[in-house]
Amino acid sequence: MNTVYLNGEFLPAEEAKVSVFDRGFLFGDSVYEVIPFYQGVGFRLQAHLDRLNHSLRAVRIKNEQHWEEILESLVARNGGGNLSVYLQVTRGSAGKRSHAYDDSLEPTVFACCTPIKDVWKAGVDSVVPLKAIVTEDLRWHRCDIKSTCLLPNILVLQQAKDEGAQEALFSRNDKLTEGSACNLFLVKRGVIYTPKRSSEILGGITRELILELADKHAIQFQEVDIDYQQLLVADEVWVSSSTRGIVPVIEVDGHKIGKGQSGPVWHKMFELFADFQRKLMTGL
Ligand code: PDD
């Protein structure tokens, strides 16, 4: 059942091989997407493909694939259930190591699936609140590109784990940006705040949906700069991503956030989010 896609072929994972000269392997010269599918149907698929196109264009990797066809076929071959699809496109291999690249390289395209839970069935009790640390954002200045150069993200997450937390939040020039693999929200007196979109954060698809739902249901929100102090005195802090949904953060750097448990605005947003997914998937 573990079928992957590699350069035009669907094959068992253990048979998929990439050259040691692939630029994704040698330089992290590649971009990626993580796209949830529920009951075989892509969730906000077009938004993910738009972001993929943005990333590919930004790093000048050739983009001539029929993404939808490839992804839907891969999901079907893996049982068509609730899966998150990882899609990576590298600049390809020139059969040697050289920083300079040739525009004629054929990109390497790889995709695989991992099971995920559907939020509306799993319910609110399935969500485990997190503890987070705040750490310096040492990433480059094009975090809007979903690049596979994730060493800073990996190291800060490990640092969080070493300190008994489960997530790391980045801070650049005294402004919070996002988490190691998630966007950041806080709530103060019923208003939702999140850092504005810029090249310092990834334009999260889940983030966008949260703001859409807030707008539709008359929950006030603002896209603003957030500093460390504002984070610590927030009533609620959440993080969001396609694989984890919306998750409350109940402690930052050992300081309790709000009452130290998931808050009422998070509960409301979780229900709106779950309801949105359920309606989309079941039509009910
Ligand atoms: N990451 N910010 C960063 C740095 C991320 O890596 C992600 C997602 C997000 C949230 O984006 P979205 O809502 O579109 O998933 C924000 C994926 C899940 C990953 O790297 O596995």
Side-chain angles (χ1 to χ4, degrees), residues 31-261:
V31 300
Y32 76 109
E33 267 302 320
V34 179
I35 311 169
F37 279 72
Y38 298 105
Q39 292 159 24
V41 180
F43 186 66
R44 301 236 132 178
L45 180 57
Q46 194 52 52
H48 282 279
L49 295 181
D50 289 348
R51 187 171 65 188
L52 174 67
N53 290 330
H54 165 74
S55 297
L56 288 167
R57 210 171 27 249
V59 301
R60 299 168 61 179
I61 291 180
K62 252 200 267 177
N63 183 6
E64 293 162 4
Q65 308 282 338
H66 302 287
W67 301 118
E68 229 163 298
E69 233 169 271
I70 294 171
L71 299 178
E72 281 167 5
S73 180
L74 179 67
V75 166
R77 283 161 201 261
N78 280 282
N82 300 323
L83 297 167
S84 104
V85 177
Y86 174 78
L87 170 63
Q88 181 176 355
V89 187
T90 88
R91 199 179 302 280
S93 163
K96 62 177 180 185
R97 180 181 182 274
S98 161
H99 284 68
Y101 65 85
D102 193 320
D103 280 330
S104 65
L105 286 186
E106 268 322 299
T108 300
V109 179
F110 168 66
C112 64
C113 298
T114 313
I116 46 169
K117 56 181 188 195
D118 35 15
V119 175
W120 79 94
K121 279 194 202 140
V124 75
D125 294 334
S126 69
V127 181
V128 182
L130 304 174
K131 296 178 182 174
I133 61 164
V134 174
T135 178
E136 176 88 29
D137 196 342
L138 294 174
R139 300 174 300 163
W140 69 335
H141 289 272
R142 289 304 306 274
C143 298
D144 57 310
I145 299 171
K146 205 158 167 56
S147 135
T148 60
C149 300
L150 293 173
L151 196 51
N153 310 56
I154 289 166
L155 292 178
V156 296
L157 185 60
Q158 198 56 40
Q159 186 190 336
K161 290 200 167 151
D162 291 346
E163 295 178 24
Q166 299 81 35
E167 188 50 83
L169 305 173
F170 288 119
S171 171
R172 199 194 290 265
N173 299 328
D174 298 324
K175 306 279 175 263
L176 273 301
T177 52
E178 59 184 339
S180 69
C182 47
N183 289 115
L184 172 68
F185 293 82
L186 67 78
V187 177
K188 190 74 187 173
R189 294 184 204 92
V191 181
I192 300 171
Y193 297 89
T194 193
K196 19 180 196 296
R197 267 188 80 168
S198 72
S199 56
E200 313 277 273
I201 70 166
L202 184 76
I205 309 300
T206 320
R207 173 189 181 279
E208 218 53 48
L209 178 55
I210 290 169
L211 298 184
E212 248 178 70
L213 290 171
D215 198 36
K216 188 162 170 221
H217 295 273
I219 304 173
Q220 278 187 62
F221 68 89
Q222 286 180 29
E223 297 176 78
V224 290
D225 288 339
I226 295 172
D227 68 25
Y228 186 67
Q229 203 46 40
Q230 288 165 324
L231 184 72
L232 292 191
V233 300
D235 299 330
E236 302 179 26
V237 173
W238 326 327
V239 291
S240 72
S241 80
S242 293
T243 41
R244 291 189 295 181
I246 318 170
V247 186
V249 175
I250 53 169
E251 195 180 295
V252 174
D253 286 343
H255 300 276
K256 198 158 80 171
I257 299 296
K259 297 196 167 83
Q261 58 192 40

